């Protein structure tokens, strides 16, 4: 179902059909980022490509160029039901009137963002914000997210998978992961993606074909790098050995710490209304 922004427990439970037989489903709930970093009063996110060429040992490649996807409406918390303000996905933004005339405004390449940091955030670090804070954190999150799923996915040798990571920044340049997309869109929807998608697909061939001996050949040390050109792809993680049993058996202790929120239903006008006790 669609992505929606809601600000009350009543609206959330009503939307998911809480307590209604036959409407039980699995949902993903995320805390909204109320103070995102804005550019020209517009919200944006990053689309970053990550490739896995082996799940066991896990081999993760990170592309050297990402791009920014902008909302074409000024940011405001007073209109949570307006997806054109809050969702930066191209499939959402292109639904507004006149999008074709301003499609190129909806995306920036990485060079444009770094230029923005240099010209507008010099006192906060300029380009170093990208090289020393944002990029290292993106790489770490990309690796850790895949490690979390490593023992739940079937490994097929001599094949690879491309993922599209969506990241956001808060006003302090902290990086937040929104979602990971399998089989991300590679259409040339704007001038930015027309250049980048062609490049990334060409470089995928370099990894999968030109560097196939490195990628799937004899066992190599994790710190080794390919001896041929892999374009914009950089190997950021390679497991030291194959895992022969589930990662979850490593003895990790996971727990949720907090206080349960009691939800009380008061029936009025034929339907339930919910409130949080206390």
């Amino acid at each position: 179902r669609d992505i929606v922004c809601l600000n009350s427990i009543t609206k959330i439970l009503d939307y998911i059909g809480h307590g209604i037989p036959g409407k039980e489903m699995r949902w993903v709930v995320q805390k909204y980022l109320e103070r995102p970093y804005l550019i020209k009063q517009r919200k944006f996110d990053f689309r970053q490509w990550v490739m896995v060429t082996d799940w066991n040992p896990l081999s993760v490649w990170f592309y050297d160029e990402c791009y920014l996807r902008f909302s074409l409406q000024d940011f405001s918390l007073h209109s949570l039901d307006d997806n054109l303000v809050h969702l930066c996905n191209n499939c959402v933004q292109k639904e507004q009137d006149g999008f074709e005339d301003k499609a190129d405004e909806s995306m920036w390449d990485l060079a444009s963002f770094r230029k923005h940091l240099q010209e507008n955030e010099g006192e906060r670090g300029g380009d170093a914000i990208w090289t020393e804070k944002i990029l290292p954190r993106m790489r770490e999150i990309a690796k850790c997210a895949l490690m979390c799923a490593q023992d739940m996915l079937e490994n097929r040798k001599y094949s690879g998978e491309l993922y599209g990571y969506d990241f956001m920044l808060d006003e302090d340049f902290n990086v937040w992961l929104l979602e990971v997309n399998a089989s991300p869109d590679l259409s040339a929807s704007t001038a930015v993606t027309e250049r980048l998608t062609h490049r990334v697909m060409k470089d995928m061939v370099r990894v999968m074909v030109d560097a196939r001996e490195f990628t799937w050949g004899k066992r190599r040390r994790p710190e080794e790098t390919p001896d041929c050109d892999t374009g914009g792809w950089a190997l950021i993680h390679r497991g030291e050995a194959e895992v022969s049993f589930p990662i979850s058996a490593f003895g990790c202790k996971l727990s949720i710490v907090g206080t349960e929120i009691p939800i009380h239903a008061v029936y009025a006008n034929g339907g339930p209304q919910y409130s949080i006790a206390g």
Side-chain angles (χ1 to χ4, degrees):
R1 296 179 67 174
D2 295 334
I3 301 173
V4 296
C5 299
L6 301 170
N7 61 356
S8 79
I9 191 67
T10 296
K11 293 178 181 178
I12 293 173
L13 295 178
D14 181 62
Y15 184 80
I16 67 174
H18 176 71
I20 300 177
K23 292 198 69 174
E24 296 84 0
M25 297 178 65
R26 290 186 177 183
W27 300 87
V28 175
V29 181
Q30 289 180 299
K31 173 71 171 64
Y32 190 85
L33 190 63
E34 299 101 327
R35 294 188 293 276
Y37 180 73
L38 304 176
I39 295 179
K40 298 180 181 179
Q41 296 304 309
R42 303 284 174 84
K43 186 178 178 180
F44 68 93
D45 63 21
F46 294 91
R47 167 56 60 88
Q48 172 66 54
W49 288 303
V50 176
M51 182 168 57
V52 175
T53 53
D54 205 330
W55 283 101
N56 194 11
L58 181 62
S59 301
V60 183
W61 301 74
F62 193 93
Y63 204 60
D64 67 354
E65 278 197 86
C66 58
Y67 62 93
L68 283 65
R69 307 180 303 180
F70 284 87
S71 163
L72 293 175
Q73 305 291 330
D74 288 353
F75 178 73
S76 171
L77 289 174
H78 298 298
S79 54
L80 286 179
D81 58 344
D82 189 347
N83 284 348
L84 295 177
V85 172
H86 301 283
L87 303 181
C88 303
N89 311 54
N90 183 254
C91 62
V92 173
Q93 293 298 318
K94 70 180 183 181
E95 295 301 320
Q96 60 185 292
D97 295 337
F99 175 78
E100 295 300 325
D101 296 330
K102 49 189 176 182
D104 288 344
E105 299 177 25
S106 69
M107 290 187 187
W108 274 10
D109 59 14
L110 179 58
S112 298
F113 176 66
R114 295 179 69 170
K115 181 180 179 182
H116 167 81
L117 292 178
Q118 292 172 335
E119 295 178 350
N120 298 277
E121 301 294 349
E123 294 184 358
R124 302 175 69 182
D127 189 55
I129 298 172
W130 170 256
T131 58
E132 298 178 13
K133 185 169 185 177
I134 300 174
L135 178 59
R137 187 58 179 154
M138 280 185 173
R139 288 187 166 205
E140 183 67 15
I141 292 173
K143 177 188 71 174
C144 291
L146 293 168
M147 292 175 71
C148 289
Q150 184 179 0
D151 62 343
M152 294 184 288
L153 296 170
E154 179 183 359
N155 186 43
R156 294 188 305 173
K157 295 292 185 182
Y158 314 111
S159 64
E161 182 80 31
L162 181 68
Y163 295 96
Y165 279 64
D166 294 340
F167 295 103
M168 277 192 67
L169 299 179
D170 64 24
E171 59 187 6
D172 296 318
F173 299 111
N174 296 307
V175 178
W176 298 88
L177 175 64
L178 297 179
E179 63 177 342
V180 181
N181 300 273
S183 302
D185 180 26
L186 291 175
S187 62
S189 54
T190 69
V192 170
T193 51
E194 183 177 10
R195 177 181 68 84
L196 289 179
T197 53
H198 175 79
R199 180 173 180 253
V200 74
M201 287 189 284
K202 182 178 179 179
D203 289 346
M204 286 176 65
V205 174
R206 286 179 166 142
V207 172
M208 307 287 282
V209 178
D210 298 348
R212 61 186 180 277
E213 176 59 29
F214 172 85
T215 305
W216 296 297
K218 64 179 182 179
R219 173 78 63 230
R220 298 175 183 273
R221 296 187 302 275
E223 66 273 13
E224 284 189 71
T225 57
D227 55 6
C228 62
D229 182 15
T230 56
W233 289 108
L235 183 66
I236 62 169
H237 175 78
R238 191 168 195 169
E240 295 186 6
E242 290 192 5
V243 177
S244 58
F245 51 90
I247 306 290
S248 55
F250 280 0
C252 300
K253 181 180 180 182
L254 302 176
S255 62
I256 298 175
V257 178
T259 303
E260 181 180 358
I261 301 176
I263 300 176
H264 300 280
V266 178
Y267 286 82
N269 300 321
Q273 298 294 316
Y274 301 95
S275 64
I276 299 175

